[in-house]
Amino acid sequence: MIRECDSAEVVVIGAGILGLLSGLMLAREGLQVVLVEQGKAGSEASWAGGGIVSPLYPWRYSTAVTALAHWSQDFYPQLGERLLAETGIDPQVHVTGLYWLDLEDEAEALAWARKFDRPLRPVSMEAVHAAVPPLGAGFSSAIFMANVANVRNPRLLQALRASLERMPNVRLIEQCEVTGFLREGERIVGVESSQGALRGENVVVTAGAWSGNLLAGLGLELPVKPMKGQMILFKCAEDFLPSMVMAKGRYAIPRRDGHILVGSTLEDVGFDKVPTEDALESLQASAYELLPALQEATVLKHWAGLRPGSPDGIPYIGAVAGAEGLWLNCGHFRNGLVLAPASCRLLTDLMQKREPLIDPEPYRPRLSARSA
């Protein structure tokens, strides 16, 4: 519960990957941090995603997304090692490489790789079938990037939470819905919540798909909305699938213990996150086309999450003009986990008024007033 006159140097709204990692980086700077989560920490989109440490089609994104992705990809191995050492929980940063099959824009992908010096190359289908024996027979071309990893996102979230809980300058308040902001003149000085008021010298919105609703309470238009995604999970032998594979917008991701994730849908249906039979059938069809042997495997789980959809997938990171003390780190769309380390480091740099790791201008919040 929030105690009367509670206050902190930083109040973080939302405890998904962006909130937990923002809180951790800010706390490591010595700041007093309180994280406020409307449900259970790490239980929304960050938990529901596949955990590929790359945008699905990185060459189709702007250089703003690419800059965050490349820094984060390089950072993930050391993040995983540090969290394991600190908490005993292994996020399983698992480098498998990724095969893209039958791309219509293969030439653009290879040109992007040359431009950014990424190890993406064409491979023969004979080589692909030799490397990935369970792959289906209906594909004609492939490109491969060897250094792409996936992370077991539920374990990453558990490790981040455990690391935060070890820090005396961090407090996590769950089952606590933020209902508005405390304001003194042009400055945001805290939040109103279902458990009472909480004052903060700075407030950071990392509320995923709910971020736009929060900013609406200040009369600001933040074009972030929920985009539903559904996935399914199979259990196979540990060595069943040695690499990630992707075709026609669907992917299969191997975990170290043999679990295979297949995803995902992209649905504009508001805040509905109920799994549907139509999506299950569509995902199964994609799974069986990619990996026919999965027809003999059982679907262990089928779930849905809500991505924070934003224009062009470029997140909002930085201070909000006209609302001093209010900061955003949200709107990462399909790439929240991929971009989280660089996004949270950039936010921390800006809040600490030091040279940022990359140019912050593409992510600067430019919010308009909501129309009546």
Side-chain angles (χ1 to χ4, degrees):
M1 290 291 293
I2 294 176
R3 300 177 291 266
E4 187 175 357
C5 299
D6 262 2
S7 64
E9 290 178 280
V10 182
V11 177
V12 179
I13 306 172
I17 180 65
L18 275 304
L20 292 171
L21 192 52
S22 293
L24 183 61
M25 289 189 179
L26 291 165
R28 285 176 176 168
E29 299 286 332
L31 299 173
Q32 293 285 335
V33 177
V34 174
L35 293 99
V36 183
E37 166 57 45
Q38 67 177 351
K40 181 182 177 183
S43 63
E44 292 290 347
S46 303
W47 175 90
I52 301 176
V53 186
S54 171
L56 295 182
Y57 298 98
W59 54 89
R60 297 178 186 173
Y61 284 91
S62 70
T63 55
V65 172
T66 297
L68 293 172
H70 288 177
W71 194 93
S72 295
Q73 287 166 328
D74 293 341
F75 183 78
Y76 254 110
Q78 67 191 75
L79 175 63
E81 290 169 7
R82 180 168 181 176
L83 289 172
L84 174 59
E86 287 178 352
T87 69
I89 300 170
D90 186 1
Q92 294 189 7
V93 180
H94 184 30
V95 180
T96 65
L98 172 58
Y99 289 92
W100 287 269
L101 307 170
D102 289 0
L103 285 171
E104 295 180 356
D105 57 351
E106 182 176 305
E108 290 86 346
L110 296 172
W112 169 89
R114 290 190 295 271
K115 177 179 179 180
F116 290 101
D117 194 26
R118 308 308 282 183
L120 181 67
R121 59 184 177 84
V123 290
S124 69
M125 288 311 303
E126 183 180 22
V128 178
H129 283 288
V132 188
L135 183 67
F139 303 100
S140 59
S141 66
I143 58 175
F144 178 63
M145 196 180 318
N147 64 347
V148 182
N150 68 77
V151 62
R152 199 145 185 181
N153 34 317
R155 297 191 182 191
L156 172 64
L157 295 161
Q158 291 167 16
L160 287 169
R161 177 178 183 147
S163 183
L164 285 162
E165 288 175 339
R166 296 161 60 93
M167 304 185 75
N169 55 328
V170 175
R171 186 172 168 217
L172 172 63
I173 305 172
E174 296 176 289
Q175 306 300 328
C176 181
E177 181 183 2
V178 170
T179 56
F181 295 91
L182 299 177
R183 193 164 191 168
E184 293 179 357
E186 292 299 304
R187 183 168 184 84
I188 301 300
V189 295
V191 299
E192 295 279 7
S193 81
S194 57
Q195 295 186 25
L198 175 63
R199 296 183 70 86
E201 295 175 23
N202 292 282
V203 175
V204 181
V205 176
T206 62
W210 289 264
S211 298
N213 289 1
L214 280 171
L215 272 292
L218 290 173
L220 296 173
E221 185 76 38
L222 178 69
V224 172
K225 66 176 185 176
M227 295 295 289
K228 183 176 179 179
Q230 301 188 49
M231 299 188 68
I232 55 177
L233 180 70
F234 297 88
K235 182 67 170 73
C236 301
E238 290 183 16
D239 60 353
F240 170 73
L241 182 62
S243 297
M244 295 179 282
V245 291
M246 184 164 185
K248 301 177 183 177
R250 297 281 169 85
Y251 49 79
I253 305 169
R255 301 304 198 207
R256 287 178 179 168
D257 61 3
H259 282 96
I260 307 295
L261 285 80
V262 175
S264 65
T265 64
L266 184 62
E267 306 164 56
D268 188 357
V269 292
F271 285 93
D272 170 21
K273 57 177 183 176
V274 176
T276 63
E277 192 65 27
D278 285 349
L280 175 61
E281 292 175 2
S282 175
L283 290 166
Q284 285 178 302
S286 295
Y288 303 154
E289 182 180 8
L290 274 171
L291 305 165
L294 288 179
Q295 294 177 74
E296 307 302 319
T298 301
V299 176
L300 297 180
K301 196 168 185 178
H302 170 211
W303 67 91
L306 300 175
R307 308 177 186 91
S310 59
D312 302 317
I314 299 175
Y316 299 90
I317 308 169
V320 177
E324 189 179 353
L326 182 62
W327 302 78
L328 303 185
N329 191 6
C330 57
H332 293 70
F333 206 173
R334 305 188 77 164
N335 295 311
L337 188 137
V338 184
L339 307 181
S343 298
C344 297
R345 170 64 184 277
L346 176 58
L347 175 76
T348 302
D349 287 345
L350 294 171
M351 292 183 71
Q352 293 294 86
K353 296 181 170 60
R354 64 184 177 222
E355 185 70 21
L357 78 157
I358 57 174
D359 178 11
E361 189 61 22
Y363 321 101
R364 182 165 63 88
R366 297 171 176 84
L367 308 185
S368 58
R370 287 178 65 88
S371 55

